Amino acid sequence: MKKKISYALLSMALLAFAAAIIIYPERYVNRCFQGFAMWAECVLPSLFPFMVITMLFVKTGIAEKAVLPLRRVAGKLKFPPAATACFALAVCSGYPAGSKVVSEFYENGAIAKRDCAKVAYLCSTSGPLFIIGSVGFKMFGDKLLGIKMLVAHVFAVTVVSVIIALFSKGGNKTGTRRTAPDGNALYNAFYGSVIAVCVAGGFIAFFYVVATFCADFNLFYPLEKFFNLFLDGQTSSAICMGLVETTTGCRELAAIGGKLPAAFAGFSFTFGGLSILLQQLAYLTKVGVKPLKFIGVKFIQAVICFGLLLLIA
C-alpha cells in the first residue's frame, strides 16, 4: 500500500511538472538552457579533468598501490585500506566522483559491502575548484573565503565520517586486494568520465527547472515561512533553491553577500541538495548504502560546516 501511494504521488508530481513545461515553455525551456549553461561554466571545468585523472588512477591500479603505506592508519580508524585513496580522489575531484570511485573499488573487490557506507560518507565531498573557484571567487568574489569554505567542508565531512567509523561494530574486514590493471585504461577512463560528467549536467539542468517550478508555484512556502522567522525573504528563498539544486542556491546566496549567506552556501554544497544527493545515490545504492541514513549523515556534516563558517568566514 505504501509503495502504491508513493508511486501515485510521484506520478501526480511528474504529470504536474510536465504540464507546467507544456503550458509555459517560454519559461521552463529557457531555464533548462540556463541550467546547462551554469553546468558548463561552474561545474564542467572543475569536474571533468579531475574525473579523468581519478578514473585513470583507478583503472591503472595506481590508486591501490598508493594506499599501501597508509593501510595501518586506515585500519586504526576502522576503514579499509582503499578508503584513503577514495578520499584523496574524492577531495580533488568533487561530486559525484567519490561515490563513483567507491562503486569502482567495490566492483574490483577492494572494498567489502559492509564497509561501503562508512567509506561513502568519507568520500562525499565537493572539489576545490568548485568551492574555491566557482563559489568563492566567481560567486562571492573572494578567493580567501573559498579557501575557508573548503577547509570547513573537508573538516566537517572527515570528522563525522571518522566518528561513525570508530563507533561502527567491529573493524573493517577488507584486505588489500590487488586487481589487475585495465588493459584499455585510457579509453575506459575517458568514456566513464564523459558519461559521468554529462549525467551530472543533466541532473543540474533538470533540478534547476524543478527548483524554478517549486518557486513559481509556491511549493517552498512552508519552508520559507519557517526560515522567515529568523531570516529575510531573499535568503530564505535562496536556501530553499539550494536544497533542490546546490549551484543555483550558492549563486543566489552570493548575490545577497555577507557572512551568513556564505555559511548557508557551505551548508548547501556540503549537504548537496536533491540533485547531488541523487547523483551520489545512483552509484551508492548499488553497493548497499541506505539512502535515508546517507542523507542524515550529509545533513549532520552540513550543519557542522555551517557552524564552522559562522566562526571563520
Side-chain angles (χ1 to χ4, degrees), residues 94-130:
Y95 304 120
S99 300
K100 183 171 175 58
V101 171
V102 172
S103 177
E104 290 275 345
F105 273 111
Y106 169 75
E107 291 177 2
N108 292 343
I111 301 177
K113 194 169 187 178
R114 59 163 290 162
D115 293 324
C116 284
K118 57 188 178 184
V119 178
Y121 306 146
L122 180 68
C123 299
S124 177
T125 66
S126 187
L129 284 182
F130 177 76

Side-chain angles (χ1 to χ4, degrees), residues 26-165:
E26 69 284 355
R27 169 72 168 162
Y28 295 110
V29 171
N30 185 52
R31 297 297 275 185
C32 185
F33 176 79
Q34 290 175 2
F36 276 116
M38 184 169 58
W39 163 75
E41 180 184 359
C42 299
V43 179
L44 180 59
S46 63
L47 179 59
F48 180 68
F50 281 102
M51 180 69 84
V52 173
I53 293 168
T54 296
M55 295 313 299
L56 282 172
F57 273 120
V58 173
K59 297 293 184 183
T60 57
I62 294 174
E64 287 185 70
K65 294 177 184 177
V67 303
L68 293 177
L70 299 173
R71 61 186 183 275
R72 289 185 180 179
V73 175
K76 287 182 179 180
L77 297 176
K78 294 188 178 180
F79 285 110
T84 52
C86 289
F87 178 65
L89 296 173
V91 168
C92 290
S93 302
Y95 304 120
S99 300
K100 183 171 175 58
V101 171
V102 172
S103 177
E104 290 275 345
F105 273 111
Y106 169 75
E107 291 177 2
N108 292 343
I111 301 177
K113 194 169 187 178
R114 59 163 290 162
D115 293 324
C116 284
K118 57 188 178 184
V119 178
Y121 306 146
L122 180 68
C123 299
S124 177
T125 66
S126 187
L129 284 182
F130 177 76
I131 296 176
I132 298 174
S134 297
V135 179
F137 181 69
K138 282 189 176 181
M139 296 182 188
F140 281 88
D142 188 343
K143 186 177 179 180
L144 179 59
L145 174 61
I147 294 172
K148 291 178 180 179
M149 286 177 164
L150 178 64
V151 171
H153 170 71
V154 174
F155 179 83
V157 170
T158 304
V159 167
V160 172
S161 302
V162 168
I163 290 172
I164 290 172

